[in-house]
Amino acid sequence: MNVQIDNQTEQLHPVSFEQHHKISCFLAYEYRLLDEERFDDWLALMHEDIHYWMPGIENRRRENLLEHGFYAGDHMAYFDDGLRDLTRRVSRFKQASAWAENPATRNVHQVSNIEVYYGETDGEYLVHSVIQSVRSRGLDEQYVIYGRRTDVLVQEAGQLKIKQRLILIPNATLTCKNINTFL
Amino acid sequence: MSNIIKTIDVTDSLENLKDVCDIENGRIAGKIFYDQAIYEQELEKIFARCWLFVAHESQIPNTGDYVTTTMGEDEVIVIRQKDGGIKVFLNACPHRGNKVCFAESGTTRGFICNYHGWSFNVQGNLVGQHESGIYEASDFDKAKWGLKEVAQVDSWKGLVFATFDPQAPTLQEYLGPMTWYLDALFDNQEGGTEFVGGCIRSTYDCNWKIAAENFVGDILHAGWTHDSAARAMLGGSVAKVSDFEESYSVNWNGHGYEFALDTVGNVAVLGESALNKYLHTIKPSVAERLGEFRSNMIGAVSSCTIFPNFSFLAGQNTVRVWQPRGPNKIELFTWVVVNKSAPQEIKEKWRKGAMMTFSPTGVFEMDDGENWEYCTKTAKGRVTAAQDLYIGLGMNSRASDTSLPGNVFKGQLNEANARAYYQQWFDHLNAKSWKELPNRNFGKQEAE
C-alpha cells in the first residue's frame, strides 16, 4: 500500500482547499450516519456499482508476497461486497431478532489523514485516509479497529457517492470476535 | 529419528470431574468453560494426545510450501517434502527455543533462526549455524539438533492431521466411520477439494469447547440465534428443522455430525442461487460416487466437529479450527473449501458467500460469538460455575434399526452428539494414556 501511495503521489493532483473540505465533511457525515444507526441513509451514499472491499491480511515474508503484498483479490475477505451484499448486511441490523444488537452496540467512527486527489475521470476523486472504529457493547466490552482506507468517490447528480472502498487493517489476526459495523 | 519430539509426562487426573461433567444424567457445569486447572489438563490430555487438523493438502502443493498453525498452544510448521510427504515440526529452535518461522504461509528452502543463525532445511535437519566452527570444539552432533518433528502425520481426503502422541491410534482408527460422512463434503467429486486462498483469524473470549460443541450437534440454536441473518439473506426464517421427516445425529470417538437430507438447506443461506443449482447439477454424480444417501447431504442443513476442535459446515463450506488460548479465549482460524473441479465462478461465489455468512463479518456468525462469550463469562462466578447445565435432549433416541455407520441417533434436534463430545472429553481427562480410554462406541464400523 505504501508503495502504491508513493507511486501515485508523483502523478496525482490534489484538489482545491475548498473541495478537500467538502470531501472531508462528506466522510465525517458518512461516519456519523453509522454512529447514529441511520443505515438506509448510509446505503444511499453508495454508488450502484460499489465495490466495498476489506481483504484478509496475511502475515507473509517479503520474498513470498501476494498479488498486493499482504492481501490478494482471490483470497478470503472480511468484506468483498456489492450493493446487494451491503443491503443484506443492513437488513440484518434492522431485524428485531438481531439479538446481539439489543442492547445496541455504541459506535464512534473517526476518519483522519485525509488526502484528496482528482480521479481518473471528471467528477471522480481518489481519497486516502486513516480510520478508527471504537465499539462498545454491554457494560465493559470495547473493540478498536484501526485501518488505512482508499476510496473512490464520484459526483453524481450533485451528490457524492462512494464507488470503491478498500479497507486495510494492520492485523493478521482480528483482535475481536466480529465486525458488527462498517468501516 | 532423533528429531522426533520428546513425549511429555502425563500428570494425575483432576478429582471430582464428575461433578462438572455427568453425561449419564445429562448435565455439565460452567466450570469446564472457565477453570485454569481443567484447561491445563486439556492441553496435556487432549491437545498433546489427539489427532489435530493442521492443514489442507491444497495449501502446500509443492516442495517447500508451508503453513504455520498451532496444535493446542504449541506452534508448528506444516511443510511439503521433496518426496511429496508432509512433515510437521515444532516452530521452535532447539537451541534457545526461539520461533523459527514467523510467516503464516509461503514457500521456502528452509528456516533460519533469527537468534543464533541455526539453519534448517525442508526436512528439518540442522544444516548450519552462525560461527559453526565453535560448535565442533564442543563435539556438537548436528544430526541430533534438527527441528523437532511431531509423532504422527496423516491425511484423509486432503485434510492433514497430526498428533504429538506416538501411542495414538492411526488417523483412520481415530476418525472411524466418520470418514464415511466426511466424504459427503470432502470427496463428492473427482479431484476432491481445495481451500481457496487465505485464512481469516479472529479472537473470541470464549471457551474452545462451547464453539466446538455448537458444530458437533447443535442445530437447535440456528432457528433462534440466526433468525435475523436468515431474514437478511433469504427474506424469511431458516428451515424449520423439526419439519424434516428424516435427520440424524451421528457420533464416534467424540466426533459428531448432525444432518438433514435436504441437499441444499445449508447452501441456501448464502443467497446465491447458482450454488444451489451447482449442487443439484452434481448430485447425480455424487449419488453414483457415494450412493444416494450421501448425495442428499452435500449442502444439507448440517454441521460437524471432529474431536477436539476441527469443524465445518457442508453447504456454507466454511472450515475452522477453534484454537485454545486459555480457558476463556480462542483464536478462530477459518478457511473456505470448494470442489477442485467446480467452475471458477462457483468457487468465487463460495469464497464470498462463506465470508458473508460465517466469518467475523458474517451475518450468521455475529450472533454466535455473543452467545459463546457469555456462556463462558457467566462461569466466572464461583457459584454460577457449579450449577448444573441441562444437556439431556434426545436421551432415548438411539437408532437401533439402521444400516448407517457410527453411533446413530434419530433427529438433528438432539444433544446426543454434544453428550458424546463431552463424554469423550471427560474420558480423556480421566485417562493417563490411550490404553485407559474407554470405548463407548456401539454402532457399526462401516456402512452396510
Side-chain angles (χ1 to χ4, degrees), chain B residues 7-8 10 42 44-52 151-152 162-176 252-255 306-308 424-425 427-441:
Chain B
T7 307
I8 58 167
V10 174
E42 292 173 341
E44 176 184 293
K45 297 195 170 68
I46 291 174
F47 290 100
R49 182 186 286 171
C50 291
W51 284 93
L52 305 171
Q152 301 186 59
T163 171
F164 287 126
D165 192 346
Q167 308 301 322
T170 64
L171 178 64
Q172 186 91 37
E173 275 176 77
Y174 181 79
L175 296 173
W252 192 270
N253 291 345
H255 321 304
I306 297 300
F307 190 90
Q424 186 77 5
W425 174 84
D427 289 343
H428 270 294
L429 290 200
N430 278 295
K432 289 205 89 170
S433 70
W434 281 97
K435 280 181 202 149
E436 288 181 16
L437 198 72
N439 178 6
R440 298 183 191 270
N441 300 311

Side-chain angles (χ1 to χ4, degrees), chain B residues 398-435:
Chain B
R398 196 186 274 201
S400 47
D401 52 347
T402 180
S403 58
L404 295 173
N407 309 322
V408 183
F409 293 81
K410 287 181 202 152
Q412 294 175 279
L413 294 173
N414 197 325
E415 287 170 333
N417 283 1
R419 282 192 297 278
Y421 180 83
Y422 287 116
Q423 185 67 61
Q424 186 77 5
W425 174 84
F426 176 88
D427 289 343
H428 270 294
L429 290 200
N430 278 295
K432 289 205 89 170
S433 70
W434 281 97
K435 280 181 202 149

Side-chain angles (χ1 to χ4, degrees), chain B residues 197-391:
Chain B
C199 170
I200 295 283
R201 297 173 171 84
S202 56
T203 316
Y204 285 65
D205 292 328
C206 79
N207 183 268
W208 62 274
K209 296 186 293 298
I210 198 78
E213 179 227 304
N214 178 274
F215 277 63
V216 89
D218 183 353
I219 195 64
L220 177 59
H221 83 289
W224 184 260
T225 298
H226 298 308
D227 183 75
S228 61
R231 287 179 195 280
M233 297 304 292
L234 303 168
S237 53
V238 285
K240 195 156 181 246
V241 177
S242 56
D243 288 346
F244 291 137
E245 277 178 27
E246 192 181 4
S247 71
Y248 297 94
S249 297
V250 178
N251 60 66
W252 192 270
N253 291 345
H255 321 304
Y257 205 138
E258 57 80 21
F259 57 93
L261 298 168
D262 63 333
T263 312
V264 293
N266 264 5
V267 77
V269 305
L270 305 191
E272 292 286 355
S273 55
L275 295 181
N276 294 36
K277 198 173 157 195
Y278 167 76
L279 289 186
H280 281 302
T281 307
I282 66 165
K283 191 175 171 178
S285 66
V286 180
E288 213 165 285
R289 191 180 177 82
L290 303 176
E292 199 183 334
F293 187 88
R294 283 182 289 173
S295 76
N296 297 323
M297 290 175 65
I298 51 179
V301 172
S302 61
S303 64
C304 177
T305 290
I306 297 300
F307 190 90
N309 64 337
F310 171 67
S311 302
F312 64 87
L313 299 175
Q316 287 91 349
N317 290 16
T318 176
V319 175
R320 58 249 327 273
V321 172
W322 322 99
Q323 302 282 14
R325 297 290 182 263
N328 47 23
K329 192 170 176 184
I330 62 168
E331 273 174 28
L332 167 56
F333 292 13
T334 67
W335 302 270
V336 180
V337 67
V338 291
N339 278 334
K340 243 180 228 174
S341 62
Q344 193 52 42
E345 67 270 20
I346 291 295
K347 292 181 183 178
E348 187 62 6
K349 282 191 190 305
W350 250 307
R351 179 182 69 84
K352 289 190 189 183
M355 297 302 295
M356 177 82 193
T357 51
F358 285 89
S359 78
T361 44
V363 291
F364 282 79
E365 189 148 320
M366 256 175 225
D367 291 289
D368 283 323
E370 201 74 358
N371 293 337
W372 300 343
E373 287 195 346
Y374 283 93
C375 289
T376 303
K377 288 178 184 178
T378 57
K380 192 175 183 179
R382 177 69 188 83
V383 176
T384 307
Q387 303 304 310
D388 289 343
L389 302 172
Y390 177 78
I391 188 167

